[in-house]
Amino acid sequence: MAKLGQHFLKNKTKLRKIVEALELKDGDVVIEIGPGHGELTDELRSANHKLKIIAIEKDEELAESLKEKFKNNKNIKIIEGDALKLLPQLTDDQRLTIYDKRLTTDNYKIAGNIPYYITGYLFRILGELENKPSLIVLLIQKEVAERVCARPPKMSLLAASVQFWAEPKIISNVSKKDFRPAPKVDSAIIKLSPTRKYAEQNAEKRGKYYSLVKILFKQPRKTIVNNLVLSIKYQVSGVNKKEKIIEKLREIGIEPNARPQDLSVEEIVKLIKLIKGSHELI
């Protein structure tokens, strides 16, 4: 295992499933996160020789090894650095200089075998990218992949956060025996297809959504109305806050006594209409 907690996928069948899920075509650029020894990089190169690959490796020794390995391939660029910091820069049209080509939603994709400890933060970074890729295919912990793909009545903070900007799908489960060294748990290949459904909402509305999700799932066993009562400010003389929230919830077709895990992303978006400013009810 590398110093940064990586487990390297050795099963070529599973590596090919990652590549197939990317739906590669001529002109695509793939940003690969954590290439390690280059196992996935090799499969990507074999799948499409016209593909351009930007591989970001944080481990200094691995990065140097990859530079040597692919030194004769002009379509593969190895960058030593932290993908969590570099992704927003690489995907910003105004700052991109690699390949003299602008990365747009039409021509770039993201892939990688992701160390478990950075998965949550990576989803946050991906969700905040203004210029999102057309596809993201990641190898992550199986339990996390299942949580990301959950639907009502099994929604969670993670599912509600990711499904706001992408449609997730598990492509294949991957046994811990398929890695070198073997991790303690199984993994899964997850495909994220960024959607434009809520992408055009401004930063304020997106911020309200994520704030609301945190409110709702702070105590997931409580009812929606009770979570909102604890968090929303509503100070009008002679008005019962809980009754007012129940009234507003019913107006938009949401059952006040339902649990947060019962809500779809569309229903949470409806709830944004109830929030004004910082935790204030309209």
Side-chain angles (χ1 to χ4, degrees):
M1 182 166 62
K3 291 180 289 186
L4 298 174
Q6 290 164 286
H7 298 270
F8 306 108
L9 181 61
K10 61 183 182 179
N11 186 320
K12 285 190 173 292
T13 300
K14 298 299 183 180
L15 284 165
R16 291 187 190 111
K17 282 188 177 292
I18 296 174
V19 175
E20 289 168 5
L22 284 166
E23 301 173 19
L24 298 173
K25 60 183 185 296
D26 292 351
D28 277 349
V29 177
V30 174
I31 298 178
E32 184 185 354
I33 301 171
H37 299 131
E39 294 91 344
L40 178 58
T41 320
D42 276 330
E43 291 297 329
L44 288 166
R45 177 182 57 173
S46 298
N48 188 321
H49 292 289
K50 295 182 180 180
L51 186 70
K52 295 184 183 297
I53 302 169
I54 303 169
I56 307 172
E57 177 55 61
K58 190 174 182 180
D59 186 297
E60 181 180 355
E61 292 181 10
L62 288 175
E64 289 304 314
S65 176
L66 288 165
K67 288 176 183 178
E68 178 64 25
K69 179 177 181 178
F70 297 113
K71 64 181 180 182
N72 294 322
N73 194 313
K74 295 180 180 179
N75 284 343
I76 299 177
K77 175 75 173 179
I78 308 298
I79 300 177
E80 181 189 334
D82 185 346
L84 297 175
K85 295 177 181 178
L86 291 174
L87 276 176
Q89 298 176 22
L90 289 172
T91 59
D92 185 334
D93 286 343
Q94 302 305 313
R95 298 175 66 177
L96 181 71
T97 57
I98 292 176
Y99 295 128
D100 296 322
K101 185 173 185 178
R102 303 180 90 184
L103 293 186
T104 71
T105 186
D106 296 325
N107 71 8
Y108 96 95
K109 296 164 183 177
I110 292 176
N113 174 9
I114 309 302
Y116 295 160
Y117 71 95
I118 72 165
T119 306
Y121 190 31
L122 175 62
F123 281 137
R124 177 179 169 185
I125 296 295
L126 293 171
E128 291 175 351
L129 293 178
E130 290 295 331
N131 174 30
K132 289 185 176 61
S134 58
L135 280 179
I136 302 166
V137 181
L138 305 174
L139 182 58
I140 63 174
Q141 187 176 343
K142 180 182 176 182
E143 180 185 352
V144 176
E146 290 173 342
R147 284 169 51 207
V148 169
C149 295
R151 302 290 179 180
K154 295 184 178 181
M155 289 291 281
S156 65
L157 174 62
L158 183 59
S161 298
V162 175
Q163 290 176 30
F164 181 65
W165 58 269
E167 181 66 33
K169 179 182 179 182
I170 292 176
I171 300 299
S172 177
N173 292 326
V174 182
S175 169
K176 54 192 171 188
K177 297 177 183 178
D178 291 328
F179 292 86
R180 184 182 65 252
K184 295 181 180 179
V185 297
D186 291 334
S187 298
I189 300 167
I190 187 171
K191 179 178 182 178
L192 300 166
S193 304
T195 62
R196 299 194 61 80
K197 190 169 185 180
Y198 304 115
E200 294 177 358
Q201 293 194 1
N202 59 36
E204 181 183 357
K205 287 184 179 179
R206 293 199 301 268
K208 283 184 179 181
Y209 177 87
Y210 290 119
S211 293
L212 184 55
V213 165
K214 289 178 182 177
I215 291 171
L216 291 170
F217 289 97
K218 186 176 183 180
Q219 299 186 65
R221 293 187 178 182
K222 287 186 176 292
T223 62
I224 295 167
V225 64
N226 284 336
N227 272 315
L228 293 175
V229 165
L230 292 172
S231 301
I232 290 179
K233 298 174 184 177
Y234 189 76
Q235 299 174 344
V236 177
S237 179
V239 176
N240 181 286
K241 179 166 65 172
K242 185 171 184 177
E243 289 180 0
K244 186 66 177 178
I245 292 174
I246 289 173
E247 176 189 331
K248 291 289 185 179
L249 287 171
R250 286 180 172 154
E251 282 179 8
I252 59 174
I254 293 177
E255 173 53 48
N257 290 322
R259 310 285 174 180
Q261 58 265 33
D262 298 320
L263 292 175
S264 65
V265 170
E266 290 76 13
E267 288 172 319
I268 298 173
V269 170
K270 281 185 181 180
L271 281 171
I272 295 176
K273 298 174 182 177
L274 303 186
I275 308 298
K276 182 179 71 174
S278 178
H279 297 180
E280 293 180 333
L281 186 69
I282 293 176

